[in-house]
Every structure is written in C-alpha cells, then in structure tokens.
Amino acid sequence: MIDNEQLQGHARFTIRQKTARTANQYVVTVAGPGDCEGEVVAFARRKVMSAKEEVTIYTDESRTSVLCTSEARQADDFGAVHDVRDGAGAVIGSFRERPVVSLVRSTWAMEQPGTPELTGRERNRAVALLRRVWEFLPYLEYVPFLWPYHFDFTATGGAKRLMSLDRRFGLRDRYVLDIGSADIDRRLAIAQAVALDTLEDR
C-alpha cells in the first residue's frame, strides 16, 4: 500500500472502471511503460442509488484505509460544488461543473488552496458536439459512446496544460491521467478524474 507522500511523487496514472452491480468502481494504478497498469494506488467507489453524489477513494481494493472522499454540497449535482477531503476530513480542494458552457463543451473548475484555479474542458470541439448529438439519436440511448475523448486542465486564463485525462478506446471506461504540475494534489486530481466519468454518465 502506497502512502500519500509516495503518491505525490507520481505524475501519470491509469484509471479503469470495474464492473459491479451496486456501485461504480475504479482501480487507479501508477502508469507503467506503454501506460500499462502498475502498482495500485487508489480504489474509488460510488454507490449508484445514493441521494447525494458521494465517492469514497480508498488506498487499495481492500477498502481498509480511506485516501480521500468527494461529496456534493447539495443533491442536484449539475453545477454543484464537490468538496474533496482527506482521510481525516480536512478539505484539500473542490471541483464543479460550469453548467452554461458545458451545454456545448463540458467544462470544469478545480480549486486547491494556495494554487491557481484550473479550468478543464474537452479538448476536441467536434467530439464534444458529436457526443451531444449521439444522446438524441433514436435507438442509441443504450449504446455507449466509444470514440475516445480527452480533457485538458489549464490555469484559468492561461494556456499551458497542467493536467489531462485521456480516454482509451474500448467498451469499458479506461483513462490515463497525466499531471504536469508538482503543486497539484494527486488525491484531488484522482477525485476529479473519477467525477468526469461518473457525473457525466460516461
């Protein structure tokens, strides 16, 4: 089991959705050569029928130690602020979707005390539009959108990419999380990455 200090020393992770009946689950590992799965550093679990959006992220699949949690401040999660807390309950950051601009292109704001706010948005405008059209095409509501899509996070108002999340092609959701700044708390980054899957029903 990796501790938080060791976790902060890594900059690239894989996130793989794991099939379960009563919860959305994700295995987070250090990305190895060719982005293969290395050491497990986190295991995220979200109950599918909970009234308020809440995700618990453990240090591994045994679920004996909590790495962090994320919880919406209100039940309506569209635009709600989600607080991320460490295992002791202290807030380490937050994230929220920006509802108006997300109607065309999904956009998020991620905040961490002492660092600039980050804005994350879908990299490809054409894919963003296609995803939205896909939702309204007849007979496709139960067909997953398989085309890879990506999110880039930059300092609000800036252009340099500080974090990215790339979806890999396949039936099950699998992502590569790349963090380009030593200042970003890896726990917050992982919580935000999981939210990009769960909150948009990817």
Side-chain angles (χ1 to χ4, degrees), residues 5-200:
E5 184 176 351
Q6 292 172 315
L7 179 67
Q8 303 308 317
H10 293 286
R12 195 172 178 87
F13 304 90
T14 65
I15 301 174
R16 170 176 51 85
Q17 187 179 32
K18 187 174 182 180
T19 304
R21 287 186 177 182
T22 60
N24 292 330
Q25 299 183 152
Y26 301 84
V27 179
V28 183
T29 70
V30 175
D35 292 331
C36 66
E37 295 184 10
E39 181 182 9
V40 174
V41 295
F43 179 74
R45 189 173 188 273
R46 167 189 175 264
K47 293 181 179 179
V48 295
M49 297 299 290
S50 57
K52 188 161 58 172
E53 182 67 32
E54 183 176 2
V55 176
T56 303
I57 303 176
Y58 302 91
T59 54
D60 57 31
E61 292 186 71
S62 70
R63 293 191 279 164
T64 56
S65 179
V66 174
L67 180 68
C68 63
T69 62
S70 68
E71 183 178 8
R73 293 180 185 175
Q74 63 253 24
D76 182 7
D77 62 24
F78 190 58
V81 175
H82 296 253
D83 292 313
V84 179
R85 300 176 183 272
D86 64 18
V91 175
I92 58 177
S94 64
F95 56 82
R96 69 186 188 281
E97 187 172 15
R98 292 179 171 168
V100 177
V101 291
S102 289
L103 293 174
V104 177
R105 186 181 181 192
S106 292
T107 302
W108 292 74
M110 189 175 83
E111 296 181 85
Q112 179 183 320
T115 65
E117 180 185 77
L118 298 187
T119 296
R121 59 175 58 89
E122 289 180 89
R123 185 182 306 163
N124 191 307
R125 294 176 183 271
V127 173
L129 178 60
L130 179 59
R131 286 202 309 108
R132 283 148 181 78
V133 172
W134 185 273
E135 295 174 359
F136 294 98
L137 293 177
Y139 311 113
L140 292 181
E141 60 265 30
Y142 299 111
V143 179
F145 185 82
L146 299 180
W147 193 264
Y149 43 82
H150 319 285
F151 281 83
D152 291 328
F153 285 76
T154 63
T156 302
K160 183 180 179 181
R161 186 170 63 190
L162 300 178
M163 187 176 99
S164 64
L165 185 71
D166 293 349
R167 185 187 190 278
R168 298 313 196 210
F169 186 83
L171 290 174
R172 303 302 301 175
D173 290 345
R174 184 175 182 272
Y175 302 88
V176 173
L177 173 63
D178 197 0
I179 304 171
S181 171
D183 295 331
I184 297 175
D185 192 308
R186 276 42 176 169
R187 297 167 297 181
L188 175 61
I190 290 170
Q192 170 72 89
V194 169
L196 289 175
D197 188 275
T198 63
L199 294 183
E200 298 194 29

